[in-house]
Amino acid sequence: MIGLSGKLRASLIIGGQGIRARKLRTFLSMVSLFLGVLAVVVVQAGSEIANRAMLADVELSEGKDGTRQMYLSPEGRTVPVALEVLEGRTDAVAMTSARAIIGEPGVKPVNEGGGPIDEPGNYGGGPRMTCDPSGCRPVDDGDADAPKGQAIELQLVGLTGDVRQFRPFRASQGRWLDFGGDPSLAPRLVLNEQAAKAFTRYHVPAEMRVEGATTNPTPQFLGVVDDGGYQPTAYVRADELLNWLPVTSVSDSNSGPGLQVLMAPTATEVEHVLRARLVAAGTPEDRIYVNTVSMLERMSTELALMRWIFLGMAALVLLIGVAGILNVGLATVGERVEEFALRRAVGTPRLLLAGIVLAETLLTGLLTAALAIGTGALGLKVALMLFGSRFPSLEGVAFPWQAAVAGVVAGLVAGILGGLVPALRAARIPIATVMRA
């Protein structure tokens, strides 16, 4: 083991001296290999960043991987019981849904139906519909003959706690909801970007009509978040919403799906207690739907296939660099025949001669990998500075360590493949060749 360590050390030292003595050829080898290693680094970094970006967008709408989701039908005492169980919990958050119109009283909203404000036609796809086994029909809101005016319809989502631990909304402006302290009588709202766009385009009175409420409250706007949604939505503390709205109204199926509960993977106790209380309150057990978010598992096959396709293309570019190192290495061994023969004559083992040549190509590959990794990291930093504002999902992205590892592996593999044949040729040089000198 000690002898092998000494031979390895000698190979590295002599190989390093060979690189220093032939700087131009080393540079040419690095140039031929640089694009191949850089391609591997870029593909690996791009795939990792794309994975994170895709998962970030999915997390906004569905939740982080591992999150337990419970969907509760709105019948009976389902919503009141759930809100009671989850009150004050930090490992589980309930989301209620209601319909709200902010703006002039007695008019139809400009986006009737609550659709995107810039959607063509009537901005929202028409009046809301309700469906049952007999068919679908428009919901009678009592304002069928009302004129359109300065009012905006949106979905009002009541939260029992900070949902960002499960769905990491990205803050755009202002601040998020504060769940500490007593609830305010003026509901504090955080808008999504679609709702913010609507209120930027239409300056409406600050009067909010919530379906099911007997009085119209005046809301406060705290901030704007990117929630990945396509329709105008506002988030509010559930207890502030219930100051104005009976709990039976937030469980109205015309206003939303009743109640959605997001739970941490470790919140098994909460899930069991909630399920038991709901069943005891009369909710059929088969109406309690629970699933686990596993988007990464579902997307892994597609992402892996895409990565292997691009890695295959990068490998072809890398092989061109390997061919360049091979040509330079063979030319170098041809010029150093007498040197290697003389070393053999003084007792240098064939294995050490092969190690010297292979060490040169390996060191060249590692130097090229370091240069390619540095270039990739710098390029990513510049790209984020120039285009990061256009892609919010890339905010805070760092250079993936997987790309650095892939670059080092690519450099080593290229060094071995490009130096193996020259190393074998150097080891086979006969001692008699020294007589040419």
Side-chain angles (χ1 to χ4, degrees):
M1 182 66 68
I2 296 177
L4 180 61
S5 176
K7 290 179 181 179
L8 178 61
R9 189 185 306 112
S11 299
L12 292 175
I13 292 174
I14 299 173
Q17 292 173 346
I19 290 176
R20 186 172 58 181
R22 285 169 290 277
K23 297 183 180 65
L24 180 58
R25 289 199 172 185
T26 300
F27 174 74
L28 293 176
S29 298
M30 292 179 64
V31 168
S32 64
L33 186 59
F34 175 76
L35 290 179
V37 178
L38 181 61
V40 173
V41 171
V42 169
V43 168
Q44 185 66 31
S47 63
E48 292 296 331
I49 294 173
N51 288 2
R52 296 178 188 178
M54 292 175 65
L55 288 177
D57 290 338
V58 172
E59 288 173 352
L60 290 179
S61 57
E62 296 198 22
K64 295 181 178 180
D65 259 29
T67 299
R68 296 279 289 169
Q69 296 179 321
M70 178 180 289
Y71 296 94
L72 303 175
S73 59
E75 291 83 4
R77 288 184 43 80
T78 297
V79 175
V81 169
L83 293 179
E84 181 182 345
V85 172
L86 298 175
E87 183 178 2
R89 302 289 310 198
T90 58
D91 54 355
V93 174
M95 303 174 64
T96 66
S97 181
R99 171 179 174 257
I101 298 176
I102 299 178
E104 295 177 340
V107 299
K108 288 184 179 180
V110 293
N111 62 328
E112 186 179 4
I117 202 68
D118 53 1
E119 187 172 309
N122 60 0
Y123 300 101
R128 296 182 303 121
M129 305 292 290
T130 182
C131 298
D132 55 31
S134 63
C136 295
R137 57 190 177 277
V139 177
D140 184 10
D141 296 323
D143 58 357
D145 299 326
K148 280 196 174 182
Q150 294 292 94
I152 296 168
E153 181 177 344
L154 47 79
Q155 183 184 30
L156 196 59
V157 178
L159 303 173
T160 60
D162 193 347
V163 75
R164 294 177 301 172
Q165 59 180 310
F166 306 108
R167 295 171 60 183
F169 298 154
R170 296 186 285 264
S172 298
Q173 301 176 33
R175 59 187 177 89
W176 179 246
L177 298 172
D178 181 9
F179 291 90
D182 296 328
S184 172
L185 289 177
R188 293 167 290 187
L189 308 182
V190 174
L191 308 176
N192 71 349
E193 292 187 339
Q194 290 292 336
K197 183 189 300 183
F199 286 108
T200 300
R201 182 175 303 178
Y202 296 95
H203 299 282
V204 302
E207 180 178 329
M208 182 167 69
R209 309 195 301 275
V210 183
E211 186 174 350
T214 56
T215 307
N216 298 337
T218 300
Q220 307 176 63
F221 293 161
L222 299 182
V224 179
V225 296
D226 177 13
D227 64 352
Y230 73 94
Q231 68 179 98
T233 303
Y235 297 92
V236 62
R237 284 176 50 164
D239 50 3
E240 293 182 357
L241 181 61
L242 293 176
N243 282 334
W244 303 89
L245 190 67
V247 69
T248 53
S249 295
V250 299
S251 62
D252 182 5
S253 59
N254 291 329
S255 301
L259 193 81
Q260 179 184 5
V261 180
L262 302 179
M263 297 171 289
T266 56
T268 54
E269 179 187 354
V270 179
E271 182 177 340
H272 293 158
V273 171
L274 182 56
R275 184 184 291 272
R277 289 284 303 274
L278 290 171
V279 172
T283 302
E285 192 165 359
D286 58 358
R287 302 297 296 272
I288 302 175
Y289 307 101
V290 182
N291 69 286
T292 302
V293 177
S294 57
M295 287 306 301
L296 184 59
E297 180 180 347
R298 281 183 277 171
M299 297 167 59
S300 59
T301 303
E302 177 184 348
L303 294 174
L305 178 61
M306 186 182 303
R307 178 182 300 179
W308 282 113
I309 290 174
F310 284 102
L311 279 177
M313 298 170 62
L316 293 177
V317 180
L318 185 63
L319 286 177
I320 297 175
V322 170
I325 288 186
L326 178 61
N327 289 333
V328 173
L330 289 174
T332 302
V333 170
E335 291 182 356
R336 299 173 65 185
V337 170
E338 289 79 6
E339 173 194 342
F340 290 137
L342 182 59
R343 289 183 182 276
R344 285 282 295 119
V346 297
T348 303
R350 295 181 183 273
L351 184 61
L352 182 56
L353 288 180
I356 292 171
V357 176
L358 197 58
E360 289 187 18
T361 58
L362 284 175
L363 291 174
T364 300
L366 287 176
L367 290 173
T368 306
L371 183 61
I373 292 169
T375 302
L378 180 61
L380 176 61
K381 186 174 182 180
V382 172
L384 291 177
M385 291 175 57
L386 295 177
F387 308 108
S389 59
R390 302 183 186 179
F391 304 97
S393 60
L394 298 180
E395 183 179 352
V397 169
F399 186 75
W401 63 266
Q402 295 92 335
V405 172
V408 172
V409 171
L412 290 174
V413 170
I416 293 174
L417 294 178
L420 187 59
V421 174
L424 293 176
R425 179 167 294 186
R428 293 175 179 176
I429 293 176
I431 298 177
T433 309
V434 75
M435 301 302 298
R436 299 178 184 176

